[in-house]
Amino acid sequence: MRAITHTRPGGPDVLQLVERPVPEPGPGEVRVRLAVAGVNPTDWKSRSTAQPGPDGQTPGQDGAGRVEAVGAGVDPAVLGQRVWVWEAAWQRRYGTAAEHTVVPAGQAVLLGPDASFELGAALGIPFLTAHRCLTVAESLPDRLGPGSLAGRTVLVQGGAGAVGNAAVQLARWADATVIATVSGPRKAQLAAAAGASHVITYTEQDVVAEVRRIAPDGVDTVVEVSAAANAAVDAQVVAQGGAVAMYADDGGAEVTVPVRASMITNARWQFVLVYTEPRRAKALAVEDVTAAVLDGAVRVGPDAGLPLHVFPLAETAAAHQAVQDGVVGKVLVDVTA
């Protein structure tokens, strides 16, 4: 099979297109023939710093394709099914930047007949991260679905990013009022297309004043892309018992939390990383994201506020560079091209 691998950490140039044997699934595993792979910030960060094993590492946590082989203990009824794959390369050799990958059966989730492989490859890390951010507050339910966030208000800082887009779409599916912040008019259009109820341009407007105008009692959760820059604002807008869910590290920046303001509201400052979050939370997220897909509630493409940037497998290095450079939208790799 064709696969992207690297044998040492470094820049995108360490990624090489090679021929590898098709992997065989072990007990409890499935092999997926991939159509599309997703690229996330953690892919290039891991490539830059982590030492691969002696046989090299294929990057890529997310993807979509069809199950073509099953290991012992796996129901053969899943053979041929369309699936989305999540967390493929976490502590495993076979990621999704390849024609085939092998994952535990629970990490190849039925996609349904209507969703595209592009949508399936865009789910994984962004949507599971967004789900955790939307359910981590003590005052909120730990499941998402129609009506679960009715009467609640969510603030998505950076509503035009991949996780921000996922948070907007999931929160709207759950009937929340969604406020998104963006840096300019183009991103405002994307956040609105995703379904944000209100969009604030933070370079031109007072975020605290605007949020308090929309939600006088504050917001139930903040989905936070830049805690180091926004902590003071978040502390002023979070509601009683609410949470600030931080999922990005700003390149290793440190966060200063306003203690007194957070004490008054009994706010929770929660760090979020899908790979190490509690197993139950992750399992519920997979179930809820799948339900949203089957409901037709999540989409990709510019009309959904998430432009797609698709690269052929041989140009995975360029795909990594695009994510590293902060391209607006979702970067995908067409494994079949």
Side-chain angles (χ1 to χ4, degrees), residues 30-52:
V30 299
R31 183 173 73 231
V32 178
R33 184 175 185 89
L34 292 154
V36 183
V39 184
N40 299 298
T42 51
D43 294 328
W44 72 258
K45 291 175 183 177
S46 177
R47 181 213 70 223
S48 300
T49 60
Q51 185 66 48

Side-chain angles (χ1 to χ4, degrees), residues 9 69 79:
L79 286 168

Side-chain angles (χ1 to χ4, degrees), residues 56-73:
Q57 173 67 48
T58 294
Q61 304 293 345
D62 301 336
R66 292 184 183 273
V67 176
E68 67 171 15
V70 300

Side-chain angles (χ1 to χ4, degrees), residues 63-130:
R66 292 184 183 273
V67 176
E68 67 171 15
V70 300
V74 179
D75 188 344
V78 301
L79 286 168
Q81 294 292 326
R82 305 171 78 252
V83 295
W84 60 280
V85 173
W86 56 277
E87 213 172 275
W90 173 247
Q91 298 181 335
R92 300 174 61 83
R93 177 185 171 192
Y94 301 108
T96 55
E99 291 180 319
H100 307 266
T101 192
V102 168
V103 293
Q107 289 170 223
V109 186
L110 294 181
L111 184 57
D114 301 322
S116 68
F117 285 136
E118 288 78 10
L119 173 59
L123 296 173
I125 299 305
F127 276 81
L128 299 185
T129 299

